[in-house]
Amino acid sequence: MLTVTENAISKIVEVILEEGNPELKLRMYVQGGGCSGMSYGFTLDEVQNEDDWVIPAGSASILVDSMSMQYISGAEVDFKDDLSGSQFTINNPNAQTTC
């Protein structure tokens, strides 16, 4: 499955509240590209597809399609806000290489 830190949960809930649409969920996906061959992406989505995994994140949810889940199963989603900027990060023990 997928682990979501308290920092990430807080940020997901905050973003959805700012959007003012309680139907929104954070969609996380993996796509080809990036320096290691795969890259992670995030978007807001109201539609839950039939093959989506739904990961609870406080009062919000994260959607992951079944194709992406095979690459990120066992990973941890976090949110970092430091000198480098603010961003969701993925600690994926399955990743063979990183940039």
Side-chain angles (χ1 to χ4, degrees), residues 10-28:
S10 295
K11 189 61 176 180
I12 293 165
V13 170
E14 177 185 321
V15 168
I16 290 172
L17 285 173
E18 285 176 1
E19 291 294 319
N21 181 352
E23 299 300 313
L24 288 174
K25 296 163 185 61
L26 182 71
R27 178 171 294 282
M28 181 179 165

Side-chain angles (χ1 to χ4, degrees), residues 17-98:
L17 285 173
E18 285 176 1
E19 291 294 319
N21 181 352
E23 299 300 313
L24 288 174
K25 296 163 185 61
L26 182 71
R27 178 171 294 282
M28 181 179 165
Y29 56 91
V30 176
Q31 64 185 11
C35 59
S36 64
M38 299 294 249
S39 63
Y40 303 106
F42 296 92
T43 188
L44 294 175
D45 200 342
E46 290 180 327
V47 178
Q48 179 180 327
N49 299 320
E50 197 171 296
D51 71 333
D52 284 340
W53 289 75
V54 181
I55 292 88
S59 61
S61 298
I62 298 174
L63 301 176
V64 182
D65 64 88
S66 59
M67 181 66 99
S68 295
M69 184 56 91
Q70 65 184 339
Y71 295 106
I72 61 173
S73 184
E76 179 186 73
V77 180
D78 195 10
F79 183 78
K80 303 279 185 188
D81 189 8
D82 56 25
L83 294 175
S84 302
S86 301
Q87 63 186 354
F88 286 102
T89 61
I90 310 297
N91 177 15
N92 189 346
N94 302 315
Q96 300 292 321
T97 59
T98 59

